[in-house]
Every structure is written in C-alpha cells, then in structure tokens.
Amino acid sequence: MGPRRYGSGAELTAWVYGNGAGMQSYGDESRPLAALSLPSRIVIGVAACAVAVIVAIHLAMMFLHVAPQNTLSKQQGSLISDYVYPEYEQNWKLFAPNPLQQNVAVQVRAQVRAEDGSSRTTDWTDLTARDGRAILHNPLPSHTEQNQLRRGWELFVNSHNAQGRPIGTRGELAERYIRRIVMFRMQGEWTAAGGRVERIQVRSRTAAVSPPPWSTEKISDKPVYRVQPWWQITSADLPEGANSQ
Amino acid sequence: MTSPTPQQPRSTSQPTHTTEPTDVSQQAHAPHAPQAPAAPPALYEETRIERAIGRLFGRATGRALAPYQTAVIRIGFSATWLLFLLREWPHRLTLYGPDSPWSLDMARRLLDANHAFSMLLWSDGRGWFECVYLMAVASSAALLLGWRTRTMSVLFMLGVISLQNRSVFIGDGGDNVIHLMSMYLVLTRCGQVWSLDARRAKRARAAAEAEAAAAGEEAGGEALDGAQTAAHMPGAGRGRDLTGIVLWAVLGLALAVAQLTGSYALLWFDNGPFPHIGWSLVLWGLWAAHALWWAVQRYAPGEPRTVLDTLTKLAHNGALLVIMVEVCLVYSTAGWYKIQGSRWQDGTAVYYPMHLDYFSPWPALSQLLGSNGLMVMLITYGTVIVQVAFPFTLFNRRLKNVLLVIMICEHLSIAFLLGLPFFSLAMIAADAVFLPTNFLTWVSARVSGLRERLFPRAVPAGPDGGPGGGEPPARTDHGGGGHTLVG
C-alpha cells in the first residue's frame, strides 16, 4: 500500500500508487483512505462536510461580528451576537478609526470622618498620574497600572448616559467598580491618621494631546473636568468586602 | 475520494520548494504535471470542479498541515501567556484574585448575564484561586515545551478563559488574541514538531523500527497525540504510557467532581463555545476522545485508527484555516477602519498614541520620534497600507514574507515604544502562522547547531533533542505540505 516510511523515496512510489483508479496514499497514513471500508469512508466524508460547514459558519460569524453594521448583520443581529458572545468577542479597531487624542485622568477626593466625629475633605489625588509614574521607564507595565483604571473608566463612561446616570446592570457594576478601585488604592492613605472614609468624589480631567509641532491646528489646551456626584462608601466598596462573602 | 491525490505536490515540492516563487502556482500546477504520465486517457474524465474538490478533500484529510507553523504559534501564545502570568505574579490577587476591585460577586453578576466560562467562579476561596493560577502557569509551560500537548492545550485554554473572563475589564487586545487562539489551538495537532511529544514519538518510532527490522515486519504509524504517543506505536505499544493514563484519570476525576458539585458553567447543551454544545459536553467529549484514541492505538491499529487519525487531521486543518483567517480578519479590521479616520488620512495618527500618558514609557524617545512630520506620515501611511494589504499578499509568497517582516518589526517597536510587550508578543505569535517553513526549519537547524556547540553531548538523543531542537529530517517533507499552504 502506501508509504509507511518517511523518506522521500517512498513518496515517489506513493503517487505512482495514487493513480486515477482512486488509490490514494498519504505520507503519514498507515492505510490509504480509498482502501477503507464503506462505513469508514462515509464517516470521513460526513466529517469532512461537517468540518467545512462549521468552519464556514464560524468564519462568517467572525466576519459579520468585526465588519461594520451591514444589511446582513442588521437582519441577523441576535443570531450573530448569540454565537459570538461571550467567548469569541473581539475588537480589532486598534487606534481606529482615529487614535485617542486626549489624555483622560481620573482624580479622586474623599470625605473622611475622624474618630472624634469631625469631618474633613481631602485634596484631589490624580490616580492616572500615579499610573503614569508606574509606567514611566517601565519596559513591562502591569495590567494593574496600564489597564485597570483606564479600562474601568472607559467602562464607566460607556455605561452611563450624558446625564451621568447608570445604564442597566453594567452601569451599576461600573460605578461600584470605580468606587472599589479608588478605595483599594486610596483607603490606606486617607485613613492613615485614623477615621473612616464616608464619601468619595471622582472627576475626570480630559486634556487634548497638543497637535504635532509641524501642525497648524489650533486646539484648546484647557482641560475639561467632568465631576461626578459624591458617592457614599459602603462596606461592599472596601477591600475587606471582597473576602467577607 | 477518487481524485488526484495531494501526494504529487509533495513529491515535486522536494526538489522545487526552495525556488518556488509562489505557493499558488505550486498548488495550481503541481498536480497536473505528474498526473499526465500517470493517467492516460481515462474512462471517466473528471470536471475541473470535481478535481478541485477532490484535491481539497485530499489536502484536508491527507495530513495535519503546517506542522511548523502550528508549533510556532503554540510556542508563541503559550510563552506570551506564561511570561504575562509570571510578570503579574505579584499582582495576581489584584487582577484575578480575591483582592480584585472587580469582586467575584460582580464577576458573577456579569457572567450570569453573558454566560462566559470561568473556573474561578467555582469557589470563593483564595486556595482555589491559587490553584487555578498555578494550573494556568504550569499548563502554559507544558504547552510551551510540548509535553502532553493535546491535554495541555485544553488546560491552557481553561486557564486563559477562566482568568480572563473572571476580570474581563482589565484585558487588552493581546489578551483577546490569546483568548481566541487558546480555543482554536485545542483542535490542532500543534505538537508535531519542536515538542517533547515529538521527541518521545521519534524515540518510540526508532525503537519500533529497530524492533520491526528485527522481526522483519514493516513499522509504521505515527501520531503525536499527547497522552497516547508512546502507546500507539505498534512496536512501542508494549511499553505502557503510565503518565498519560494517570493524567487522563486525574483530570477525569477532577472534572467529575466539578460536574457533580454542580459547578458554574458546566452545562451539557447551553452556554458553551458553540450553539447547543455546553462546556460539559466539550470537556467530557475531549476526555472521551483521548480514551478512544488510546484504545484504538492499542487494540485496533488498523482501520479504526486510520479513521480517527483522519478525523483528527480534519479538525486540525479546519482549526488551522480558522486561525489563519482570524489573523487576516485582525489586520483587515485594523486597516479598513483606519482608512476612515481623519488622523490616518492626514498622516499624523502615529503621533498621538505616543503622547498618551498610558502609552509613553519613554517620553523623550516618543518626543524625538514624533518631532519629524515626514517620518510620522510615512509610518502612518505604511501601517495602513501593510494592514490593508496583508491578507491579499498571501497569494504572493515573497510579498507576504516582506510584509511579515515589516509587521513583526512594527510590533516589536510597539512593544517597546508604547509599553505593550505582551500585546505585541501575542500579535507576533499570531503573525507567525504565516512564516515560511524554510525559515522555520532554518531557525530550527541554527538553534540545534547552537545547542550542540554549547552543550556538546549533553542530550544523548543528539540533534533531535528538546523543544528548540531539530526534528527528524524526514519530517521536513511534512513541512513541505505546510509550505505550500502557508509558507
């Protein structure tokens, strides 16, 4: 039958055997397919068709998922998203259609109730600037520095409407996520002198990246602040809250 | 099943594949040349379409294509994920563990809605988290080395998706690539070369052949399927693959425990990776497939083995196609959306990311590079051109290779300049599926040569040793098959 060894000499015989009569042989096959019994050939044939169909469906779904909204994806939107989410979700608009052209900084402050009952408000702390300092001259930035707050804030902005109200569960979760990120990072500092954080306030500072030196564009270099309302801190927002369930 | 075989390209590729200008021409013409003498006026003349389908079928069932490319992406993705996990070791509790601001409770609420899989939801304890993290590290390392590749690719996937789905909002594009590829890799025979499995199989084969030569019978058969490699060799079958059996039993037991305790996401027909196929079905199916393969190797090495082997090759080739198209989709999407952006049109786009606080670990260097308007424009346009063009250059081998070099260089500079090393590594690993076989075997020879010089006779097996080493020269012809497709 076919070649069973791995030298090229044997392969020459292989295609001689593999003639028009349908005798096939393959280098790493112990038996050529055409010599198999009918049921085996049916199994392989059906499997080949199934693989072809599955691959075609999968690739079509992936394509429709990453392509812009079109006739087909509008018609079959739920079918596509049922297939794609959650495990095949993807987004390859890397720096597209336009790269981000503004630095968004997240700044926070807190109202701390001291043990004697008095209350004080801390200064603003720029958490993004701290991330930036951690990334500076760091060839291997951690996801905790590069992604946690940045993507958390993206999530927050995307899951809130223009009035700053949360949209659905995601919005609520995002708000809590931001509170927890802030508390995980700042609690120790704010309560170093004792007391407990009662409320926090978060604001974003958006500053346009100044256009390149050769550009004649004029862009306001005044940062834009978006201030969120004061948020009450509950035990669920504290680091210990994570372990107490 | 009655069409010209894919054998011909291989016999011709042996002498020509170093000089062949394009894959396409080889694919298109090679089968005809040898066919002419072999098939004089036939009784039934096949139509071109029939012949094309037959050829396609032959290629898809003939062998697991692109052994070097699949091996290199296996190494690439597992190494990227391993390095990432090790780098984040000090932060692991904050990223995926009990100290995460994205608490397990919040993760549950999200995953209840979108039904993503994560083993981390099975228990709240820190011990379980550490177990999963360590399992992810260990399976990445094992997959990197190609130890029990098929089993480890499953564990690798479980590690990747468990961690990523647990804290979905701390990932980036690199995590996304690894997430997808970890799932596709499960279906491939990615340990055919450059793996401990391949080395083990080769030794088993050598032993079997020696035995067969002594017995005067023909030795044959090969497959590199993880837990069964040693067992399925006709000659070596007598040596029991104890490790494989233990691994299989332990993992089966673990899965049974998880299943019986009603763990999250272990459903049979819902919320799985495919419609109406749940994660339980997938995992038990893979587990059963390993047992079946082992049993067939051992007790039915004839036709049943051929059938199973062919099915495995079909799955491999299907997954390989998906991987390749996926890489093309990444670049097409990235490129085509960029064309629509005003900054990519006016040639300043590259300037901006370098001036974002989160992506400028070397501000002085970014300033320097961003100060030359012409250069920024050339890189901006070049990026778009390369990304848009890449899928089409696959039809021209030389052009594709040039573009691959450019893209890998660009990703290396992104790694450094924008501080995105793991993203870039993942993208380079994805690109590697299109590297030419010639180049990969050349690298392989270099590496084994270097190792020979550094550690002479350190490994008794000589040049065919470890994962970075060379492989049986006879296997290069398999590479020839991959070469016509992707090389």
Side-chain angles (χ1 to χ4, degrees):
Chain A
M1 307 236 162
R4 297 189 182 185
R5 294 183 184 279
Y6 304 91
S8 54
E11 277 149 29
L12 205 65
T13 33
W15 73 257
V16 174
Y17 277 102
N19 56 25
M23 202 60 151
Q24 291 190 33
S25 41
Y26 305 95
D28 40 5
E29 199 76 305
S30 50
R31 298 175 63 169
L33 292 189
L36 296 177
S37 67
L38 187 62
S40 300
R41 283 159 64 181
I42 291 175
V43 167
I44 291 172
V46 168
C49 295
V51 167
V53 169
I54 292 168
V55 166
I57 291 176
H58 186 79
L59 292 178
M61 292 293 183
M62 295 302 108
F63 173 80
L64 290 171
H65 173 57
V66 298
Q69 280 272 307
N70 54 49
T71 315
L72 192 58
S73 60
K74 276 178 204 157
Q75 264 172 22
Q76 304 295 336
S78 66
L79 191 74
I80 296 166
S81 56
D82 281 354
Y83 185 94
V84 167
Y85 293 96
E87 305 298 354
Y88 305 110
E89 183 182 1
Q90 50 199 292
N91 178 4
W92 308 120
K93 295 178 195 169
L94 309 166
F95 302 120
N98 270 327
L100 191 63
Q101 294 156 56
Q102 49 202 22
N103 278 305
V104 183
V106 178
Q107 303 175 339
V108 293
R109 63 175 177 175
Q111 224 170 51
V112 183
R113 173 84 55 188
E115 263 128 39
D116 61 5
S118 68
S119 167
R120 70 186 170 91
T121 304
T122 66
D123 288 333
W124 289 102
T125 305
D126 192 330
L127 292 180
T128 302
R130 292 187 177 194
D131 279 348
R133 279 198 292 279
I135 290 168
L136 188 68
H137 300 158
N138 185 350
L140 299 170
S142 163
H143 273 21
T144 50
E145 296 144 3
Q146 207 170 28
N147 290 355
Q148 190 182 63
L149 182 62
R150 180 177 66 88
R151 290 217 49 210
W153 190 252
E154 266 176 33
L155 172 72
F156 177 84
V157 171
N158 294 336
S159 61
H160 282 69
N161 62 17
Q163 286 76 45
R165 295 209 193 291
I167 305 167
T169 326
R170 247 177 202 237
E172 273 170 52
L173 285 174
E175 225 170 271
R176 193 164 146 207
Y177 188 36
I178 295 295
R179 280 202 298 272
R180 285 172 58 91
I181 291 175
V182 171
M183 292 311 290
F184 275 52
R185 295 188 182 193
M186 294 304 297
Q187 194 191 21
E189 223 167 287
W190 281 335
T191 57
R196 135 187 106 75
V197 178
E198 279 195 322
R199 300 196 297 166
I200 61 165
Q201 191 173 34
V202 181
R203 69 175 182 188
S204 65
R205 174 189 184 277
T206 305
V209 173
S210 52
W214 64 87
S215 165
T216 52
E217 266 175 77
K218 287 277 168 285
I219 283 181
S220 158
D221 54 0
K222 250 209 185 129
V224 177
Y225 288 92
R226 234 180 98 179
V227 186
Q228 300 299 322
W230 284 95
W231 287 330
Q232 208 72 37
I233 294 298
T234 67
S235 65
D237 301 324
L238 301 177
E240 298 87 39
N243 299 324
S244 68
Q245 320 172 3
Chain B
M1 265 180 250
T2 56
S3 305
T5 75
Q7 201 59 49
Q8 287 103 339
R10 212 143 56 89
S11 51
T12 53
S13 81
Q14 211 49 15
T16 58
H17 79 286
T18 44
T19 51
E20 190 67 50
T22 71
D23 340 317
V24 177
S25 67
Q26 185 173 350
Q27 265 175 271
H29 304 309
H32 294 286
Q35 193 192 340
L43 291 172
Y44 171 65
E45 196 72 42
E46 287 170 309
T47 65
R48 280 174 69 181
I49 295 174
E50 280 174 336
R51 226 176 300 144
I53 291 174
R55 205 158 50 221
L56 203 68
F57 180 81
R59 288 181 70 82
T61 55
R63 75 180 77 91
L65 296 163
Y68 289 90
Q69 286 80 3
T70 42
V72 87
I73 61 171
R74 179 201 88 221
I75 292 168
F77 290 121
S78 56
T80 307
W81 186 241
L82 177 64
L83 291 174
F84 171 75
L85 291 179
L86 293 179
R87 191 265 168 267
E88 300 290 9
W89 180 262
H91 306 293
R92 67 190 187 287
L93 295 170
T94 313
L95 287 175
Y96 305 109
D99 295 351
S100 168
W102 186 256
S103 73
L104 210 52
D105 179 44
M106 295 158 81
R108 276 206 179 92
R109 279 180 67 188
L110 189 74
L111 266 53
D112 275 341
N114 73 4
H115 307 302
F117 179 88
S118 177
M119 296 197 299
L120 285 172
L121 265 55
W122 292 356
S123 163
D124 288 10
R126 159 135 189 213
W128 174 241
F129 165 74
E130 299 283 11
C131 271
V132 173
Y133 200 90
L134 281 173
M135 188 278 281
V137 170
S139 60
S140 309
L143 189 64
L144 173 68
L145 297 173
W147 183 78
R148 308 281 160 180
T149 315
R150 304 287 323 227
T151 310
M152 289 307 144
S153 68
V154 179
L155 295 182
F156 176 71
M157 171 191 74
L158 291 177
V160 168
I161 64 178
S162 291
L163 291 170
Q164 291 190 1
N165 287 341
R166 154 75 178 81
S167 299
V168 75
F169 297 111
I170 46 135
D172 53 31
D175 294 289
N176 202 335
V177 176
I178 292 176
H179 186 116
L180 293 170
M181 295 300 177
S182 73
M183 299 175 71
Y184 299 148
L185 273 181
V186 169
L187 295 171
T188 64
R189 278 187 168 167
C190 51
Q192 293 181 95
V193 295
W194 297 341
S195 67
L196 295 178
D197 285 349
R199 183 172 72 166
R200 201 150 38 89
K202 192 189 171 243
R203 286 178 180 170
R205 195 158 55 228
E209 268 169 17
E211 213 174 294
E217 63 176 65
E218 225 184 340
E222 82 178 70
L224 301 151
D225 274 20
Q228 293 77 27
T229 322
H232 73 64
M233 298 302 160
R238 265 148 257 170
R240 283 226 168 93
D241 179 20
L242 194 64
T243 321
I245 292 171
V246 168
L247 198 59
W248 178 80
V250 167
L251 292 175
L253 193 67
L255 187 55
V257 169
Q259 186 81 59
L260 290 174
T261 51
S263 299
Y264 167 81
L266 284 183
L267 300 173
W268 292 98
F269 301 108
D270 286 304
N271 307 343
F274 296 104
H276 308 298
I277 296 178
W279 280 106
S280 286
L281 201 58
V282 169
L283 296 175
W284 284 115
L286 288 167
W287 186 75
H290 273 86
L292 188 64
W293 183 238
W294 176 85
V296 160
Q297 303 291 357
R298 204 166 166 79
Y299 302 110
E303 186 159 321
R305 186 181 116 59
T306 310
V307 172
L308 267 195
D309 191 42
T310 309
L311 297 183
T312 317
K313 287 172 192 163
L314 271 170
H316 167 100
N317 293 333
L320 177 64
L321 180 64
V322 169
I323 291 172
M324 294 195 300
V325 175
E326 184 69 60
V327 177
C328 291
L329 278 181
V330 172
Y331 285 112
S332 305
T333 317
W336 288 86
Y337 279 102
K338 280 189 179 78
I339 289 185
Q340 306 166 24
S342 55
R343 291 300 177 199
W344 294 96
Q345 290 168 5
D346 71 13
T348 58
V350 168
Y351 168 89
Y352 289 96
M354 291 194 300
H355 291 78
L356 293 176
D357 297 339
Y358 273 109
F359 302 106
S360 47
W362 319 99
L365 189 61
S366 297
Q367 295 282 347
L368 188 71
L369 288 171
S371 63
N372 186 333
L374 189 64
M375 196 157 81
V376 167
M377 195 201 94
L378 289 177
I379 297 175
T380 303
Y381 271 40
T383 303
V384 176
I385 291 171
V386 166
Q387 293 189 339
V388 170
F390 180 71
F392 303 101
T393 63
L394 294 181
F395 296 101
N396 184 303
R397 180 173 151 73
R398 204 170 291 173
L399 200 54
K400 176 213 67 182
N401 289 339
V402 172
L403 252 63
L404 266 184
V405 171
I406 295 174
M407 292 195 315
I408 289 174
C409 288
E410 183 158 15
H411 280 134
L412 286 175
S413 41
I414 286 175
F416 182 73
L417 211 57
L418 300 186
L420 292 166
F422 299 108
F423 165 79
S424 301
L425 259 181
M427 295 309 286
I428 290 171
D431 295 341
V433 76
F434 291 110
L435 284 175
T437 303
N438 291 346
F439 170 74
L440 293 173
T441 47
W442 178 83
V443 169
S444 165
R446 277 305 113 107
V447 170
S448 31
L450 189 70
R451 207 193 43 187
E452 282 288 283
R453 239 176 306 150
L454 289 178
F455 313 102
R457 300 245 148 244
V459 183
D464 57 293
E471 48 292 315
R475 292 204 69 89
T476 43
D477 61 48
H478 295 253
H483 152 76
T484 52
L485 182 70
V486 295

